[in-house]
Amino acid sequence: QVQLVESGGGLVQAGGSLRLSCAASGRTFTSYNMGWFRQTRGKEREFVAATTWSSGSVYYAYYGVKGRFTISRDNAKNTVYLRMNSLKPEETAVYYCAAGVGPYSDASAYDYWGQGTQVTVSS
């Protein structure tokens, strides 16, 4: 049974940092993209960042997370991380980890999803 389990969310003040973790289990993800998405109520899930298990290539959303957010992976632990610095109140959302083999920024291309972890950034 495939499982993606996120952790590390919480409440942080604007300008603060959090590190999210996503522990993957249940199958081999070598050929998969591992992505982070976020969603606020009433809005579509939006792409934040992605990486690949095999090469470690990284991709970031165009809207300004690059330079503040860092995605990384630990193959030995089957875990993907999202380090988020200089957080802004408008980045309050549920953050989801996902695994898929299609276009890395397309939520519909991901086959497996975690339950999500809430990130709240106070002003």
Side-chain angles (χ1 to χ4, degrees):
Q1 180 182 359
V2 174
Q3 278 194 313
L4 302 177
V5 180
E6 300 102 332
S7 61
L11 174 64
V12 64
Q13 288 187 332
S17 300
L18 284 173
R19 189 181 78 158
L20 307 182
S21 300
C22 172
S25 63
R27 67 160 297 147
T28 301
F29 290 97
T30 306
S31 60
Y32 277 65
N33 297 325
M34 298 298 297
W36 285 99
F37 290 77
R38 63 190 181 192
Q39 188 171 26
T40 54
R41 190 170 297 179
K43 294 188 177 181
E44 291 188 356
R45 203 164 289 189
E46 65 176 5
F47 170 72
V48 177
T51 187
T52 60
W53 286 113
S54 54
S55 67
S57 298
V58 297
Y59 311 93
Y60 295 96
Y62 69 91
Y63 50 76
V65 300
K66 190 175 183 179
R68 295 188 299 118
F69 290 13
T70 303
I71 188 170
S72 61
R73 80 212 193 285
D74 185 330
N75 288 30
K77 295 182 178 180
N78 273 2
T79 300
V80 177
Y81 303 97
L82 183 68
R83 175 70 178 184
M84 305 184 293
N85 296 327
S86 302
L87 281 161
K88 305 173 183 180
E90 56 265 37
E91 294 178 313
T92 294
V94 178
Y95 284 70
Y96 295 91
C97 172
V101 295
Y104 60 85
S105 63
D106 184 354
S108 66
Y110 284 78
D111 301 312
Y112 305 105
W113 291 85
Q115 81 287 354
T117 185
Q118 176 70 46
V119 171
T120 302
V121 185
S122 63
S123 57

